């Protein structure tokens, strides 16, 4: 008997498909990939996505179960998006079912219809009269009827309360036949005729060259790296390219690092165009997300803007993809499906044959390398568009200088001068809280986290010790937990401490703190920024939240309290991240008339990378860093995959990784000369975190093809290792963070 077999991807970590028979009464052969099917799975039900229809199965006939129901008449996923998911699962060695779970809106995974929301509309019935005797003594019903009569197209159910329409009154009117309810789809707004809601700026020569290069790539795949210093007018280039895409009848997809931090960016896109903008970010409800996703899929949104996961938004008429701040770490997902949205966006642009533009003032070394090798077209913009001068970067050697809450004497002087000149100061410090450690001066006790190999941070304002790695909290002790003495001292400085100190040093000026603790309230950030925009002399102190996308035209001095962490860290990317952060913070300064100055406190004032960065700028730094990577054989000159494992008992994670390592060695022995090296297993740099013991095994390869051949053979074996059940393990292809 030749039976039709449905091969489904199910939301499971297992890297395989699951076979089912077609649901009763459904002709299996007519089904197409992407359709959703409800199936029994153990004692539960699951929703799977059809990958292929076959006619035989390895599963014995009597074990093959029929699916329960077909959920779609056509696949809710357009073929292009389905293809992207297949590619993603394959590349990141992740289960396809789980990949689809990350890529699809929640409601679709739960079986919701893949249709825009149906809305109920209330109408006054034909011939209904306000003088109807049945409502003569019901003033609220009369009022409701009168309001409805003023809306000949009906009132959407969701707007009832806005119009002060009372649902009970409407129900009574409905029972009397004086009103009617109609269910219909909210009609999409039509496409506009005139795209521009505000005039465009005249592009300068550098902008014009970048614009023209990308413009000439429309209609086919081309990747461009737009490396333009902060303020060079990258956003204006994006805007004009988007206008071109819209005029050509296409949609544009724009990824930005964080929506909540960059409201100015989103506002600029919304203000420029008469366009239907779909905004996708983590603050949306499931329904809002699905509606935005559907609008993009059905061509009812012209511009799609979102964070990392918006990469998986389908488009009916894709025309252009833009990745703003392409170096930003938030494009890499660090859990579950560990994809990099920038890298996948390039793949997607290739699959959909559209141009992609990666923009940054501080491009990642990967992207610069791709530009050097000709994979990306390199577009440079050196000048600030508004005519502002670039800031000057100065290294302040603080060896043997006393630091007062992290702030040296010369820096205090520079801050004072700036404030007295009526300007603003930005103090950057990459550490929240009051101090990173609490120390007992009598016995040497340190505030270690009971669950991690890390210290708990002192949060003076909330009276807590808090671990920034696992979230563990304790009351700030008054006495040493070990010797009961009271001489407890916070060691080092975080933003809270710098804020306190600056307030004491400069009592006549406002000091505003910006970090995750100070801005957790929804409007806090907004209040802060309006204060700053007013422009009186003041001090802003904060973490990298300050580095993102904001314009502070009155800031003329930027102080970086400590740049050294990035220079001697064991993480080979630390110096790149430090340089990007310094340049991004520096880019906030002196954006208008006043030129800006950046003072970097360091104990390593002669470090070659720091000298390059401050004297010759980011691109000189990047060349130096790239040549160091080349000689060390590190990415982008090699490719990495990191196998991580963690377990409750010490030794378990290593034991699993030892077996994994043997399996990989056996494969390498069978296929010699692949240019692959195994490094480890070793304990993770922070071995214990949140109560688990962690270890890792790094795979380093000179070629991507060989690496992927190893990975796909290897993962099948790993899934079957019995010791894998006692540990949590995961594979990270192209890891950004080696911790
Ligand atoms: P970036 O995105 O590269 O940081 P922006 O696009 O934010 O730069 O531009 C910086 C400033 O320069 C903005 O205030 C912007 O309005 C202005 N600007 C950009 N392009 C031009 C132009 N061609 N002429 C005049 N001003 C411009
Ligand atoms: Zn003590
Ligand atoms: Zn902890």
């Amino acid at each position: 008997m030749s039976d039709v077999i449905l091969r489904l991807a199910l939301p499971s970590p297992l890297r395989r498909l699951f076979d089912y028979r077609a649901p009763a009464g459904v002709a299996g052969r007519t089904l197409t990939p992407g359709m959703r099917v409800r199936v029994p799975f153990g004692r539960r039900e699951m929703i799977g996505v059809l990958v292929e229809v076959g006619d035989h199965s390895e599963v014995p006939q009597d074990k093959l179960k029929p699916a329960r129901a077909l959920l779609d008449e056509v696949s809710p996923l357009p073929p292009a998006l389905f293809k992207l998911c297949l590619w993603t699962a394959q590349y990141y060695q992740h289960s396809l079912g789980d990949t689809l779970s990350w890529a699809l809106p929640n409601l679709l995974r739960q079986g919701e219809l893949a249709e825009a929301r149906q809305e109920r509309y209330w109408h006054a019935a034909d011939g209904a009269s306000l003088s109807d005797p049945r409502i003569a003594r019901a003033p609220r019903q009369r009022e409701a009827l009168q309001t409805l009569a003023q809306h000949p197209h009906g009132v959407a159910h969701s707007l009832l309360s806005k119009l002060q329409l009372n649902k009970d009154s409407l129900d009574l009117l409905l029972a009397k036949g004086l009103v009617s309810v109609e269910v219909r789809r909210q009609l999409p707004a039509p496409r506009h005729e005139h795209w521009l809601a505000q005039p465009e700026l005249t592009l300068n020569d550098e902008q014009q060259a970048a614009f023209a290069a990308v413009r000439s790539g429309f209609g086919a795949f081309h990747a461009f790296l737009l490396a333009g210093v902060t303020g060079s007018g990258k956003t204006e280039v994006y805007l004009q390219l988007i206008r071109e895409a819209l005029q050509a009848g296409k949609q544009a997809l724009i990824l930005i690092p964080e929506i909540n931090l960059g409201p100015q960016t989103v506002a600029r896109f919304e203000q420029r165009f008469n366009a239907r903008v779909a905004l996708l970010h983590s603050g949306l409800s499931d329904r809002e997300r699905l509606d935005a996703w559907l609008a993009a899929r059905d061509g009812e949104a012209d511009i799609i803007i979102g964070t990392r996961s918006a990469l998986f938004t389908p488009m009916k008429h894709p025309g252009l993809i833009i990745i703003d701040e392409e170096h930003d770490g938030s494009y890499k997902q660090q859990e579950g499906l560990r994809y990099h949205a920038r890298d996948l966006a390039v793949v997607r642009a290739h699959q959909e044959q559209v141009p992609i533009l990666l923009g940054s003032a501080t491009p990642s070394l990967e992207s610069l390398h791709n530009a050097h090798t000709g994979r990306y077209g390199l577009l440079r913009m050196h000048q600030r568009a508004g005519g502002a001068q670039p800031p000057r970067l100065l290294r302040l050697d603080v060896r043997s200088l006393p630091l007062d809450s992290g702030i040296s004497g010369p820096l205090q002087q520079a801050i004072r001068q700036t404030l007295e000149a009526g300007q603003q100061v930005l103090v950057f410090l990459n550490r929240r809280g009051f101090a990173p450690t609490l120390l007992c001066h009598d016995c040497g006790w340190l505030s270690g986290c009971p669950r991690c190999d890390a210290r708990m941070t002192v949060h003076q304002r909330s009276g807590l010790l808090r671990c920034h790695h696992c979230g563990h909290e304790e009351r700030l002790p008054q006495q040493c937990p070990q010797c009961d003495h009271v001489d407890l001292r916070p060691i080092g400085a975080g933003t809270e401490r710098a804020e306190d100190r600056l307030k004491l040093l400069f009592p006549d000026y406002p000091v505003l703190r910006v970090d995750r603790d100070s801005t957790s309230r929804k409007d806090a950030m907004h209040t802060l920024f309006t204060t700053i925009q007013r422009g009186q002399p003041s001090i802003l102190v904060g973490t990298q939240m300050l580095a993102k996308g904001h314009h502070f035209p009155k800031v003329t001095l930027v102080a970086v309290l400590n740049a050294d962490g990035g220079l001697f860290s064991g993480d080979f990317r630390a110096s790149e991240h430090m340089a990007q952060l310094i340049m991004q913070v520096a880019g906030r300064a002196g954006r208008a008339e006043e030129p800006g100055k950046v003072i970097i406190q360091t104990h390593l004032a002669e470090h070659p990378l720091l000298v390059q960065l401050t004297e010759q700028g980011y691109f000189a730094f990047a060349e130096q860093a790239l040549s160091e990577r080349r000689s060390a054989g590190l990415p982008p000159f090699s490719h990495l995959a990191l196998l991580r494992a963690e377990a409750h008992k010490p030794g378990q994670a290593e034991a699993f990784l030892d077996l994994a390592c043997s399996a990989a060695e056996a494969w390498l022995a069978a296929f010699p000369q692949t240019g692959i090296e195994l490094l480890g297993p070793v304990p993770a740099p922070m071995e214990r975190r949140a109560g688990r013991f962690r270890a890792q095994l790094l795979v380093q390869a000179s070629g991507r093809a060989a690496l992927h051949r190893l990975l796909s053979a290897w993962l099948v074996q790993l899934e079957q290792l019995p010791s894998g059940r006692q540990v949590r393990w995961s594979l990270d292809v192209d890891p950004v963070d080696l911790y």
Side-chain angles (χ1 to χ4, degrees), residues 440-445 480-485 487-488:
C440 171
H441 193 58
D442 280 306
C443 75
W445 171 85
C480 173
Q482 198 165 274
C483 73
D484 281 343
H485 283 94
D487 193 0
L488 291 174

Side-chain angles (χ1 to χ4, degrees), residues 118-396:
Q118 310 285 307
E119 178 73 289
R120 285 188 293 161
Y121 286 82
W122 294 84
H123 293 263
D126 285 343
S129 155
L130 284 176
S131 48
D132 191 296
R134 286 172 296 172
I135 52 174
R137 267 183 269 158
R140 296 179 61 165
Q141 291 178 45
R142 270 216 318 279
E143 230 172 81
L145 186 58
Q146 190 171 14
T147 309
L148 281 188
Q150 288 161 357
H151 293 83
H153 300 295
V155 171
H157 191 80
S158 56
L159 293 179
L160 291 185
S161 60
K162 254 201 190 125
L163 294 175
Q164 283 161 352
L165 281 165
N166 174 279
K167 174 78 173 36
D168 293 340
S169 309
L170 290 178
D171 282 340
L172 291 169
L173 288 166
L174 186 64
K176 293 172 187 147
L178 293 172
V179 306
S180 62
V181 182
E182 179 198 1
V183 176
R184 65 173 193 241
R185 208 183 136 190
Q186 277 177 335
L187 282 185
R191 228 173 134 84
H192 282 261
E193 298 283 315
H194 302 288
W195 290 112
L196 288 179
Q198 55 175 211
E200 297 183 321
L201 299 172
T202 309
L203 297 181
N204 64 32
D205 290 350
E206 287 186 328
Q207 286 174 314
Q208 182 58 39
F211 170 83
V214 181
R215 174 69 192 80
S216 70
F218 270 35
F221 169 70
H222 288 283
F224 298 94
L225 176 62
L226 178 58
V229 299
T230 332
S232 58
K234 295 183 290 298
T235 312
E236 186 63 33
V237 174
Y238 302 158
L239 288 166
Q240 301 204 13
L241 285 166
I242 293 168
R243 192 248 311 133
E244 290 280 320
L246 299 182
Q247 279 174 345
K250 305 284 187 174
Q251 296 166 290
L253 170 66
I254 298 117
L255 296 191
I256 62 180
E258 275 165 89
I259 291 227
N260 299 328
L261 296 183
Q264 295 173 337
T265 316
V266 174
R268 278 173 81 181
F269 289 95
E270 289 182 325
Q271 284 159 9
R272 174 63 60 88
F273 298 110
N274 296 311
R276 301 163 298 179
V277 177
L279 211 53
L280 289 127
H281 58 89
S282 56
L284 296 184
S285 71
D286 283 351
R287 186 68 232 184
E288 288 167 331
R289 174 171 292 272
L290 178 57
D291 283 342
W293 191 91
L294 292 168
R297 182 195 69 176
D298 298 338
E300 290 165 8
D302 309 305
I303 300 177
I304 298 111
I305 306 182
T307 44
R308 180 175 65 221
S309 64
L311 180 265
F312 291 106
T313 314
M315 285 186 280
K316 188 166 191 189
H317 307 294
L320 173 67
I321 303 179
I322 292 171
I323 315 291
D324 190 25
E325 309 287 2
E326 67 86 30
H327 65 278
D328 196 280
S330 71
Y331 287 126
K332 168 80 175 173
Q333 177 150 293
Q334 302 282 15
E335 49 162 359
L337 173 62
R338 292 172 165 77
Y339 67 98
H340 202 303
R342 173 197 63 215
D343 298 348
L344 276 186
V346 175
V347 172
R348 178 168 186 187
H350 189 261
Q351 289 180 345
E352 307 219 35
Q353 286 297 304
V354 299
I356 178 166
L357 180 59
L358 313 178
S360 174
T362 54
S364 62
L365 296 186
E366 276 79 5
S367 293
L368 275 175
H369 179 64
N370 281 326
H372 293 337
T373 57
R375 283 189 66 204
Y376 299 168
L378 180 60
L379 311 167
R380 293 280 306 260
M381 300 203 299
H382 305 82
Q383 308 294 327
R384 286 192 164 192
Q389 294 298 308
R392 273 186 308 140
L393 273 67
L394 306 168
R395 302 186 304 281
L396 174 58

Side-chain angles (χ1 to χ4, degrees), residues 24-37:
V26 171
R29 295 218 181 276
T30 61
L31 305 188
T32 53
M35 290 179 172
R36 291 168 304 160
V37 188

Side-chain angles (χ1 to χ4, degrees), residues 536-707:
Q536 308 108 309
S538 49
I539 303 176
L540 265 163
V541 49
T543 57
Q544 71 252 38
M545 275 183 118
L546 284 173
K548 306 221 168 175
H550 296 283
H551 296 218
F552 304 127
K554 285 280 171 163
V555 169
T556 57
L557 173 63
V558 172
V560 178
L561 289 197
N562 184 354
D564 297 351
L567 296 173
F568 52 68
S569 162
D571 176 0
F572 72 89
R573 287 185 213 272
S575 61
E576 175 188 355
H577 293 158
M578 174 218 54
Q580 287 164 345
L581 208 47
I582 290 181
M583 296 313 285
Q584 294 286 338
V585 191
R588 307 300 118 211
R591 290 176 65 101
E593 318 72 48
E594 299 286 341
K597 186 157 79 169
V598 181
I599 296 181
I600 303 167
Q601 291 193 148
T602 174
H603 291 90
L604 302 164
E606 303 313 319
H607 194 290
L609 286 175
L610 198 55
V611 173
Q612 284 278 12
L613 182 70
T614 49
E615 291 180 2
Q616 292 171 53
Y618 181 79
F619 290 89
F621 158 86
E623 291 314 312
Q624 169 97 17
L626 269 173
S627 77
E628 285 180 10
R629 295 262 188 102
R630 183 197 298 275
S631 29
L634 288 166
F637 302 94
S638 66
H639 309 284
L640 300 180
L642 186 65
L643 184 64
R644 295 187 180 89
E646 55 178 50
H648 285 294
K649 292 196 198 120
Q652 272 180 331
E654 273 104 330
F656 168 75
L657 291 181
D658 277 333
L659 291 175
C661 192
S662 311
E665 278 164 353
W667 190 89
L668 291 177
F671 301 93
Q673 265 140 32
T674 47
I676 294 179
E677 261 188 273
L678 301 169
L679 306 166
V682 292
M686 183 189 299
E687 185 175 7
R688 205 165 54 100
R689 191 164 92 186
R692 289 169 183 270
F693 294 86
R694 310 177 319 137
Q696 57 194 36
L697 172 61
L698 187 64
V699 186
Q700 184 168 27
S702 50
R704 211 175 260 305
L707 176 63

